[in-house]
Amino acid sequence: MQPIIIVLIILVVLVFIALIKTIQVIPQASAAIVERFGRYTRTLNAGLNIVVPFIDTIRNRIDLREQVVPFPPQPVITQDNLVVNIDTVIYYQVTDARAATYEVASYIQAIEQLTVTTLRNIIGGMDLERTLTSREEINAALRGVLDEATGKWGIRVNRVELKAIEPPTSIQDSMEKQMRADRDKRAAILQAEGTRQSAILTAEGEKQSAILRAEGEAKAAALRAEGEAQAIRTVFESIHAGDPDQKLLSYQYLQMLPKIAEGDANKLWIVPSEIGDALKGLSGAFGNLGTGVPGFDTGKKERREEPPVD
């Protein structure tokens, strides 16, 4: 009984293995290559698939999603005989699992070598300055060549990017010095333009201020002169309207004498000759005023006439 049990156990194990090999589950965005006795039979797509166990074998499982592969820096010689190191990144996608399996041994290595040779051809026709400023042109040229060559491999190159372009150290130092000199030159020019503009604006402001100040002073002087003229005209009209006599004018003149003598700087002042006439008129006015006041003696004796004696 024991050999029969052992045989049954072996049969159960074989059936279990056969079932495992018969049922193949392929994940989404993947494909599998099936061979029968070493010959390509079919491609298994995503989902549940049935194969013949021990006859059909799965050769390769391929991811159909877009892949990103960075390549190490590659030394490339430019047209002006300078060696630059260029890092590239390839974005590709497998469109035909059968072609990617049977048309090329290793499509990753093939894409890398094709990228290197294409880069050397493209960069060899450019100088360093154009190489540093023509990334889009280089990317487009690389993508065109790679897409054409990898089409028969079942590969589609979606994008090619230059990750870095590194010139020699001596060239980098020279470029940095040149850039620093250009920045200093631009800064000096901007500073000079700013100083010039500031001086121009300051001069224009001072000019405008002087013009406004002069206009203000002129208007103030005109208004002052007009006011003085109006005051003189008013005084003159008042004097003529009042019809003053010589006595009143003499009295007003004497009232102005203390104001003329005011101030510490007035050490010497001149009395005009008309002051004598004014004083005479004023004394006459006071004399006449005294004759009309009782008890006021003018200094003259009154002469009385005696009646004749018969």
Side-chain angles (χ1 to χ4, degrees):
M1 294 295 295
Q2 291 182 353
I4 295 175
I5 295 174
I6 294 174
V7 170
L8 289 176
I9 293 174
I10 293 173
L11 288 175
V12 171
V13 171
L14 290 176
V15 170
F16 181 75
I17 294 173
L19 288 175
I20 292 176
K21 288 183 173 293
T22 300
I23 300 173
Q24 297 291 330
V25 178
I26 306 300
Q28 183 67 33
S30 298
I33 302 299
V34 178
E35 293 180 348
R36 180 172 294 177
F37 300 114
R39 186 175 181 178
Y40 170 76
T41 303
R42 59 196 176 102
T43 301
L44 301 181
N45 297 319
L48 182 63
N49 296 274
I50 304 298
V51 296
V52 180
F54 306 108
I55 297 177
D56 294 338
T57 58
I58 295 178
R59 166 72 180 272
N60 192 14
R61 294 177 182 267
I62 298 177
D63 193 345
L64 300 179
R65 295 174 296 179
E66 185 175 12
Q67 304 292 321
V68 181
V69 180
F71 295 142
Q74 300 294 330
V76 182
I77 301 176
T78 61
Q79 189 177 12
D80 45 0
N81 296 324
L82 293 174
V83 179
V84 294
N85 293 322
I86 300 180
D87 296 351
T88 55
V89 179
I90 304 296
Y91 296 80
Y92 74 93
Q93 186 176 8
V94 177
T95 58
D96 188 352
R98 177 181 177 279
T101 303
Y102 296 106
E103 296 295 334
V104 62
S106 175
Y107 55 84
I108 297 296
Q109 186 178 1
I111 292 174
E112 180 181 2
Q113 295 302 318
L114 184 59
T115 301
V116 172
T117 55
T118 306
L119 264 179
R120 288 175 179 173
N121 291 333
I122 296 173
I123 301 300
M126 298 181 178
D127 55 7
L128 179 61
E129 184 176 358
R130 185 181 174 189
T131 301
L132 295 175
T133 57
S134 302
R135 288 176 176 258
E136 294 297 331
E137 181 181 354
I138 297 172
N139 292 340
L142 268 175
R143 183 180 180 280
V145 174
L146 291 175
D147 196 24
E148 181 181 0
T150 58
K152 62 180 180 180
W153 301 339
I155 307 293
R156 183 177 67 243
V157 177
N158 296 326
R159 284 186 299 170
V160 179
E161 297 291 340
L162 298 183
K163 189 167 62 174
I165 301 176
E166 297 180 359
T169 306
S170 59
I171 301 299
Q172 291 182 9
D173 295 338
S174 300
M175 292 172 63
E176 290 178 358
K177 292 179 181 178
Q178 183 179 0
M179 292 175 62
R180 191 179 302 112
D182 291 339
R183 286 195 297 268
D184 293 341
K185 178 182 177 182
R186 288 195 298 270
I189 292 173
L190 291 176
Q191 185 177 1
E193 289 181 354
T195 304
R196 174 176 172 271
Q197 189 68 20
S198 176
I200 291 173
L201 293 176
T202 302
E204 289 181 353
E206 293 177 353
K207 176 184 175 183
Q208 190 68 20
S209 176
I211 292 172
L212 294 176
R213 192 182 302 110
E215 290 178 354
E217 292 177 354
K219 290 182 179 179
L223 293 174
R224 195 180 303 113
E226 185 178 355
E228 292 176 356
Q230 184 66 28
I232 293 172
R233 191 180 302 111
T234 303
V235 172
F236 185 75
E237 290 177 355
S238 299
I239 291 173
H240 280 277
D243 193 14
D245 56 0
Q246 184 66 28
K247 299 174 183 179
L248 179 59
L249 295 176
S250 300
Y251 180 71
Q252 292 292 332
Y253 191 81
L254 288 175
Q255 283 184 336
M256 292 298 297
L257 287 179
K259 294 183 180 180
I260 297 175
E262 287 180 356
D264 297 336
N266 295 330
K267 302 299 182 182
L268 177 64
W269 52 287
I270 300 172
V271 178
S273 60
E274 290 81 0
I275 193 171
D277 298 334
L279 292 175
K280 288 179 182 181
L282 187 60
S283 63
F286 280 109
N288 294 331
L289 182 62
T291 58
V293 178
F296 183 79
D297 187 8
T298 60
K300 295 181 180 181
K301 292 181 179 181
E302 183 179 358
R303 186 177 179 179
R304 296 181 179 178
E305 294 185 357
E306 295 292 335
V309 179
D310 295 335

